[in-house]
Amino acid sequence: MEQNEQNSANVADTGALTPEQMQDTQPENAQSESTELDSTGPTTTATPAHTVETPETPDAAQQTSDQEGDESEQATDEAQITPISYEEVLTKMALRHPQSQIDTALKQAIAYEQAKHVAAYQQWELEVVIAQAKRDDALAHNATVKAAESMAESTAESSAENNGVEAALVEVPELPQQPKIDMTLRRSCYRTEYVEVDLELTTQTQVQRKEYDDEAHVLRIYSATQAHSAEYIAQVQRARFKASRARKVAQQTVIVEGMEFDADELSQQRMARALLLMEDAQTTRWVLANNDVVQVSKKQLFEACKLAGEQQSALWVPAS
């Protein structure tokens, strides 16, 4: 009698279980029989009743590991970037810190801004996918409503049936704006360079302009220019050549037998007068280019005057 009551209770419990749990609660003798029939297969171990094992798949474990690795790597990269703002860079500029310190701070501020922009861009990509799905659903719904309305208008019967039960159009959501970097603050920290422009030789009329070099972090300022005629430019170039020639002649020297003589025009005139008054075997006192006073012969003085004239002739005629 007790055995029958126990069997009835087991049958009641079995009826309350799901098909999968009923499969797990097979009798031990049936399991042992199947094990004896399959002698070549591995011996199985029965699991407790009402227990479902869900081992983690290798792909899921690998994906979890990759995600953890990416998050740790991203956290490490963000930790290496020094958080600094452009206002701090401008403060260093106002306090006249060394340019090297300002450049270093600006590079750190740019790196920090780039890191924040990358994070914002990744978030924007996710929001775009969600917004695009909502947008597609709204467009599909509106298209269906418009198609139903057009069909209702074409047939009077359909119009009478759908009177008062027409679906309303839904608002189509806009896609989120792509995040962009505002270059205003960054460019306000650039180093300023004034580009040298020859205002007397320009051939175009241009206003003062600024050009930003985002690679070198430099602001270049160009002066306003005026268009000059070819005749005016030729006059300027000729006057400049004469001035340059006069400076070179005034600075030239010649060396004769280890002695350096001044070779400007005034020195050439002094040497020419001395040569007219000197005898062939006579010597005279002469002040050299280094202010040393020496005795020079007529031959030495003649050689110095000759070299000075040749040098001046070479400077006087412009190179073609």
Side-chain angles (χ1 to χ4, degrees):
M1 179 68 68
E2 294 177 356
Q3 185 176 1
N4 294 332
E5 292 176 355
Q6 185 177 0
N7 292 335
S8 301
N10 292 337
V11 171
D13 292 340
T14 305
L17 298 178
T18 60
E20 290 81 0
Q21 293 172 339
M22 292 178 63
Q23 185 177 0
D24 292 337
T25 57
Q26 291 179 354
E28 295 182 357
N29 55 359
Q31 184 175 0
S32 61
E33 291 177 359
S34 62
T35 305
E36 292 176 356
L37 291 175
D38 189 6
S39 59
T40 59
T43 303
T44 59
T45 303
T47 58
H50 311 291
T51 303
V52 180
E53 295 182 357
T54 56
E56 186 177 3
T57 61
D59 294 339
Q62 182 67 26
Q63 184 177 3
T64 304
S65 177
D66 294 342
Q67 291 178 354
E68 292 177 353
D70 295 341
E71 291 177 357
S72 61
E73 184 177 355
Q74 183 177 2
T76 303
D77 295 340
E78 292 179 355
Q80 292 177 353
I81 299 176
T82 303
I84 183 173
S85 63
Y86 291 118
E87 287 76 7
E88 297 179 51
V89 181
L90 293 174
T91 301
K92 291 180 180 292
M93 297 174 64
L95 296 177
R96 298 184 180 277
H97 284 203
Q99 187 62 43
S100 59
Q101 296 182 10
I102 297 175
D103 293 340
T104 302
L106 178 58
K107 291 180 181 179
Q108 293 176 353
I110 293 175
Y112 181 61
E113 183 184 40
Q114 289 290 138
K116 293 195 300 182
H117 175 70
V118 170
Y121 191 87
Q122 293 175 350
Q123 181 63 28
W124 169 79
E125 288 180 330
L126 297 176
E127 294 176 355
V128 165
V129 174
I130 298 174
Q132 186 63 49
K134 294 180 179 179
R135 181 180 176 87
D136 294 341
D137 293 342
L139 291 174
H141 173 79
N142 293 343
T144 303
V145 171
K146 291 179 180 179
E149 290 178 353
S150 61
M151 291 179 61
E153 292 177 357
S154 61
T155 59
E157 182 179 357
S158 298
S159 177
E161 292 178 356
N162 295 331
N163 188 17
V165 295
E166 295 180 353
L169 297 177
V170 296
E171 183 180 359
V172 179
E174 297 292 337
L175 294 177
Q177 294 293 329
Q178 179 178 351
K180 297 181 180 179
I181 295 179
D182 186 6
M183 300 292 291
T184 305
L185 280 177
R186 179 187 298 189
R187 288 177 172 177
S188 64
C189 302
Y190 285 2
R191 176 168 45 88
T192 303
E193 288 184 359
Y194 290 90
V195 180
E196 295 184 0
V197 179
D198 196 337
L199 301 179
E200 293 184 335
L201 300 181
T202 56
T203 58
Q204 295 180 354
T205 301
Q206 294 181 345
V207 297
Q208 186 184 37
R209 68 186 190 279
K210 300 178 180 179
E211 292 183 1
Y212 291 95
D213 188 345
D214 296 323
E215 295 293 334
H217 307 152
V218 175
L219 166 61
R220 295 187 176 90
I221 300 179
Y222 293 82
S223 303
T225 58
Q226 182 180 358
H228 298 292
S229 63
E231 293 78 7
Y232 176 80
I233 294 177
Q235 292 177 1
V236 172
Q237 291 176 339
R238 181 63 182 173
R240 290 182 178 181
F241 171 74
K242 288 183 178 180
S244 175
R245 180 182 62 187
R247 288 193 301 269
K248 291 179 180 179
V249 171
Q251 296 172 359
Q252 71 176 359
T253 60
V254 294
I255 298 177
V256 176
E257 297 181 6
M259 297 179 292
E260 186 177 6
F261 293 81
D262 289 322
D264 56 274
E265 286 188 302
L266 181 59
S267 298
Q268 292 180 45
Q269 294 175 7
R270 292 180 60 246
M271 286 187 285
R273 289 195 301 267
L275 289 171
L276 289 175
L277 300 176
M278 290 178 64
E279 299 292 339
D280 292 341
Q282 186 180 356
T283 61
T284 184
R285 290 165 59 87
W286 199 262
V287 180
L288 299 178
N290 59 0
N291 290 331
D292 290 345
V293 180
V294 296
Q295 289 286 338
V296 295
S297 63
K298 183 177 182 180
K299 179 180 178 182
Q300 293 172 336
L301 197 60
F302 177 81
E303 186 68 20
C305 186
K306 177 182 177 183
L307 292 176
E310 292 175 353
Q311 281 190 10
Q312 182 173 349
S313 298
L315 291 174
W316 212 256
V317 179
S320 56

